[in-house]
């Protein structure tokens, strides 16, 4: 009989290691989301090369908010790495610190994105460029919001003692997701904020 049942203690929570279905499910989800953004980038560049009076309304975008967003996602990735390494060493306090910092940097990114939107001289329907801009940045923001919720819940569950050095797959999946969000934002930043200086 299971030792936990004999003692009357709680059963183990969560899968172990990268053989778990959740790990591979996360990878397939990220691959499908990468395909979505490949299509969005294709449509952006397709419309950007069409004859028009000017691709970017008001000239190339400033880096006032987008550059700090790069810093926010990179710092969030670093703290996610820290959290994952800490839980492997059974350092719950350090894990909570890493998860909390990632959630904090995610909240900062979200605030910067809304500030960036409010600073734009165009609306969603002003032009093809504005539609592309809001769809691409908004789709990425939706992924960041999902990551924010994920890390808040990971923080709560870690504080409740759900994870340890053996069973911590949700933290590993959360970190993997944040790496994806980080890499994706660097691509979005390059496409939306950098290419207009070359092709705008």
């Amino acid at each position: 009989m299971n030792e936990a049942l004999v003692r009357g203690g709680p059963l183990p929570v969560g899968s172990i290691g990268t053989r778990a279905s959740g790990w591979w499910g996360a990878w397939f989800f990220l691959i499908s989301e990468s395909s979505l953004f490949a299509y969005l980038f294709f449509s952006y560049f397709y419309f950007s090369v069409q004859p028009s009076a000017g691709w970017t309304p008001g000239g190339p975008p400033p880096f006032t908010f987008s550059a700090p967003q790069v810093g926010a996602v990179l710092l969030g990735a670093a703290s996610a790495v820290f959290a994952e390494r800490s839980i492997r060493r059974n350092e719950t306090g350090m894990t909570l610190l890493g998860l909390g910092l990632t959630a904090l940097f995610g909240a900062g990114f979200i605030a910067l994105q809304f500030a960036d939107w409010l600073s734009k001289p165009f609306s969603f329907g002003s032009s093809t460029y504005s539609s592309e801009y809001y769809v691409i940045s908004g789709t990425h923001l939706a992924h960041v919001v999902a990551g924010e919720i994920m890390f808040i819940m990971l923080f709560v569950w870690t504080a409740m003692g759900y994870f340890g050095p053996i069973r911590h797959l949700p933290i590993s999946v959360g970190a993997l997701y944040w790496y994806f969000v980080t890499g994706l934002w660097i691509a979005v930043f390059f496409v939306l904020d950098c290419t207009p200086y070359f092709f705008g």
Side-chain angles (χ1 to χ4, degrees):
M1 183 175 276
N2 188 301
E3 183 182 351
L5 292 176
V6 172
R7 292 190 328 243
L11 292 173
V13 176
S15 302
I16 299 175
T18 56
R19 292 186 179 181
S21 59
W23 176 255
W24 292 107
W27 270 105
F28 283 115
F29 171 75
L30 298 182
I31 290 169
S32 70
E33 294 304 289
S34 298
S35 301
L36 167 65
F37 277 89
Y39 286 119
L40 289 173
F41 292 153
F42 173 81
S43 69
Y44 176 90
F45 286 115
Y46 174 81
F47 287 114
S48 71
V49 298
Q50 302 304 311
S52 62
W55 173 235
T56 55
F63 299 119
T64 308
F65 300 105
S66 57
Q69 285 177 283
V70 173
V73 292
L74 288 174
L75 289 170
S79 57
V81 170
F82 178 75
E84 186 178 16
R85 289 183 179 174
S86 296
I87 196 64
R88 290 179 190 276
R89 295 191 297 262
N90 201 26
E91 298 172 350
T92 304
M94 293 295 101
T95 304
L96 288 170
L97 176 63
L99 295 172
L101 285 173
T102 304
L104 183 65
F105 291 128
F109 181 95
I110 293 167
L112 287 166
Q113 185 63 72
F114 278 107
D116 194 21
W117 283 350
L118 292 172
S119 71
K120 295 301 178 192
F122 50 78
S123 63
F124 184 87
S126 299
S127 64
T128 304
Y129 170 82
S130 64
S131 296
E132 289 284 343
Y133 169 82
Y134 282 110
V135 167
I136 293 172
S137 61
T139 304
H140 181 267
L141 180 63
H143 285 78
V144 176
V145 170
E148 179 74 4
I149 295 168
M150 188 183 303
F151 272 87
I152 290 171
M153 293 310 302
L154 288 172
F155 183 92
V156 171
W157 290 334
T158 301
M160 294 173 68
Y162 282 8
F163 308 124
I166 297 174
R167 295 180 183 271
H168 56 263
L169 181 65
I171 293 177
S172 298
V173 169
L176 175 65
Y177 182 82
W178 198 265
Y179 307 151
F180 167 75
V181 165
T182 301
L184 195 56
W185 175 252
I186 292 171
V188 170
F189 172 74
F190 176 76
V191 170
L192 295 182
D193 295 284
C194 297
T195 60
Y197 285 91
F198 304 111
F199 309 114

